[in-house]
Amino acid sequence: ALELPLLAVPTGGEEYHLSMEAALRRAKEQGVELVCFGDIDIENNRAWGEERCRNVGLEAVYPLWHHDRQENVREVLGLGYRCLIKTRDRRVLPRHLLGRVMDRAMVEEMTACGVDICGENGEFHTIAVDGPVFHRPIPYCVRQLLDLGDYSVADITVPEKE
């Protein structure tokens, strides 16, 4: 939907950093010069990304670093991005948010729950399915909601091309 090459990288937890670096090397071979990360202020996350990039000779860029969280969300929604909640921490967010597209009402509800509205501390994760840089929306289907320990995930599929 972005008309960019997709580098799928199946990996296990303990080897994730090695798989990430292998994928970054492949991207570099295809002409990539820098990697953008969406982290806002968790120093360990930034150090991890910078090390992965440094190890393969790419520049790590953090365009959201220390930006206001409410402003980030207002901008994303205002620009027309559609971000689907795909994971939530069951201890802090209600189940009915899972598998839904984030909107202003949801932002208000999440704010009332006291979570970081950008999910910076793992309260939730999203996947963008449409927005200004997309050439077309990504079709998707939320098949089921799964509870796995402290987290719940939406089982999201993309229909096969015909």
Side-chain angles (χ1 to χ4, degrees):
L2 296 173
E3 296 187 5
L4 294 170
L6 176 64
L7 299 177
V9 185
T11 184
E14 290 185 22
E15 297 182 7
Y16 182 73
H17 67 291
L18 298 174
S19 298
M20 175 77 163
E21 289 179 16
L24 291 175
R25 280 187 194 89
R26 288 195 341 246
K28 185 176 180 182
E29 289 167 2
Q30 294 177 17
V32 168
E33 297 175 2
L34 58 87
V35 180
C36 285
F37 293 88
D39 298 285
I40 299 170
D41 64 7
I42 298 177
E43 293 289 343
N44 287 344
N45 290 0
R46 182 172 183 148
W48 185 90
E50 288 174 338
E51 183 177 356
R52 303 290 72 76
C53 288
R54 186 173 42 256
N55 287 349
V56 300
L58 291 171
E59 179 184 356
V61 178
Y62 289 79
L64 301 178
W65 197 249
H66 290 154
H67 281 221
D68 179 81
R69 286 151 165 71
Q70 291 289 335
E71 184 180 318
N72 286 340
V73 173
R74 274 192 302 275
E75 182 177 359
V76 165
L77 295 179
L79 289 170
Y81 283 95
R82 297 189 65 222
C83 302
L84 185 71
I85 305 293
K86 66 180 221 53
T87 306
R88 62 117 190 181
D89 184 329
R90 297 172 59 189
R91 299 166 295 186
V92 296
L93 287 174
R95 193 171 207 261
H96 71 270
L97 300 179
L98 195 59
R100 289 184 35 216
V101 172
M102 197 174 210
D103 60 17
R104 285 181 174 78
M106 183 187 291
V107 169
E108 289 176 18
E109 183 175 358
M110 294 168 88
T111 300
C113 290
V115 301
D116 181 322
I117 197 55
C118 290
E120 186 77 347
N121 299 300
E123 299 92 337
F124 65 95
H125 295 281
T126 61
I127 181 169
V129 294
D130 196 11
V133 298
F134 287 70
H135 292 267
R136 62 196 162 282
I138 297 174
Y140 66 90
C141 176
V142 178
R143 294 178 13 160
Q144 60 182 327
L145 306 180
L146 306 167
D147 295 322
L148 307 168
D150 290 336
Y151 291 87
S152 297
V153 298
D155 178 14
I156 301 167
T157 60
V158 176
E160 295 285 329
K161 291 183 180 179
E162 298 193 19

